[in-house]
């Protein structure tokens, strides 16, 4: 069996069109993750990374002490199209606080899952491409330690798949995934099992964020 360690990207700048970059907090989270792996003597045989800037920046900072681990860029592990899903709703900056925005976001996501989200990538297409990326990893050599940097949505799909839960349950997982958290799986070519979910013990409590 092989292991798959999945990291949600560190905190990005506030949600807007130019937000696909880490905040200062996100940069600190990423560096602390890498220091944790170094102290614990944890290494990986191969690294995969979504194609978004926040994925690549998290990987670069966390792996700065491991220059031989150049990530394989895999767009299959990019996040769902949040901007497209929210098109037609008030912009995030118009809400008084994050809680008010979250309520609207949840409504928009539910509509998206039901197939009512305009012209953005459908939920079915998003779910299928994440599983296509998983298959690429599973089809590799056995007994590997694989590391993946991605977003909360793909983490939700992987957890939902490992548990054999209804597809819609990915969303409940997605809301709980913290920035720069670690979820661990074991896998073979035809199996994926969840070992741990959303661990953040490598981060100081002051650095534990959801968005």
């Amino acid at each position: 069996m092989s292991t798959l360690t999945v990291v949600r990207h560190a905190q990005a700048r506030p949600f807007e069109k130019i937000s696909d970059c880490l905040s200062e907090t996100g940069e600190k989270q990423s560096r602390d993750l890498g220091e944790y792996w170094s102290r614990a003597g944890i290494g990986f045989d191969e690294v995969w990374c979504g194609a978004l800037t926040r994925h690549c920046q998290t990987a670069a900072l966390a792996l700065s002490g491991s220059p031989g681990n150049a990530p394989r860029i895999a767009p299959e592990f990019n996040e769902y199209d949040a901007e497209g899903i929210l098109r037609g709703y008030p912009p995030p900056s118009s809400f008084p606080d994050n809680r008010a925005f979250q309520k609207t976001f949840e409504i928009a996501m539910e509509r998206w899952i039901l197939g009512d989200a305009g012209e953005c990538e459908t939920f079915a297409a998003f779910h299928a491409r994440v599983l296509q990326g998983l298959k690429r990893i599973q089809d590799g050599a056995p007994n590997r330690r694989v590391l993946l940097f991605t977003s909360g949505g793909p983490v939700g799909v992987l957890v939902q798949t490992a548990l054999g839960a209804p597809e819609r349950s990915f969303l409940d997982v997605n809301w709980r995934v913290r920035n720069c958290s670690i979820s661990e799986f074991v896998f073979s070519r035809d199996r994926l099992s969840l070992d741990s979910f959303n661990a953040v013990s490598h981060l100081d409590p002051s650095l534990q964020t959801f968005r």
Side-chain angles (χ1 to χ4, degrees):
M1 298 291 283
S2 298
T3 61
L4 173 62
T5 298
V6 182
V7 176
R8 184 195 173 194
H9 65 81
Q11 186 190 63
R13 295 175 184 170
F15 187 91
E16 53 189 38
K17 288 188 176 180
I18 58 171
S19 70
D20 192 24
C21 294
L22 297 188
S23 66
E24 290 184 7
T25 294
E27 293 175 354
K28 173 66 171 160
Q29 290 169 336
S30 304
R31 288 191 292 267
D32 284 2
L33 174 60
E35 290 171 5
Y36 160 74
W37 282 332
S38 179
R39 289 194 306 270
I42 296 173
F44 303 94
D45 299 310
E46 64 186 55
V47 181
W48 294 66
C49 183
L52 300 179
T53 300
R54 57 188 182 269
H55 300 157
C56 297
Q57 288 181 333
T58 303
L61 290 169
L63 299 174
S64 60
S66 305
N69 269 336
R72 304 184 186 187
I73 304 302
E76 295 95 326
F77 294 111
N78 286 357
E79 185 63 288
Y80 47 74
D81 180 10
E83 289 187 10
I85 292 169
L86 287 166
R87 192 168 292 120
Y89 291 87
S93 59
S94 68
F95 292 89
D97 53 40
N98 188 63
R99 180 173 297 181
F101 168 66
Q102 180 66 24
K103 290 180 179 178
T104 297
F105 198 6
E106 289 176 4
I107 292 170
M109 290 291 285
E110 292 286 355
R111 290 183 60 185
W112 175 61
I113 290 174
L114 293 173
D116 181 16
E119 298 179 358
C120 69
E121 180 186 36
T122 65
F123 168 67
F126 162 72
H127 193 275
R129 72 166 162 82
V130 173
L131 294 186
Q132 183 178 27
L134 172 64
K135 187 176 186 305
R136 287 179 62 195
I137 292 176
Q138 289 178 303
D139 284 345
N143 302 316
R144 292 171 295 147
R145 298 166 299 172
V146 181
L147 172 62
L148 166 64
F149 293 90
T150 183
S151 290
V155 174
V157 171
L158 294 174
V159 171
Q160 170 261 314
T161 299
L163 297 178
E167 289 184 358
R168 188 228 164 271
S169 64
F170 108 93
L171 188 56
D172 298 319
V173 176
N174 172 67
W175 297 134
R176 301 308 308 165
V177 185
R178 293 178 182 266
N179 294 121
C180 216
S181 64
I182 297 172
S183 297
E184 297 177 311
F185 303 80
V186 294
F187 71 92
S188 61
R189 286 181 180 269
D190 57 1
R191 179 181 175 186
L192 180 71
S193 300
L194 179 66
D195 260 8
S196 66
F197 170 65
N198 207 27
V200 289
S201 59
H202 52 284
L203 299 177
D204 184 86
S206 65
L207 292 175
Q208 296 177 13
T209 60
F210 284 103
R211 178 177 292 132

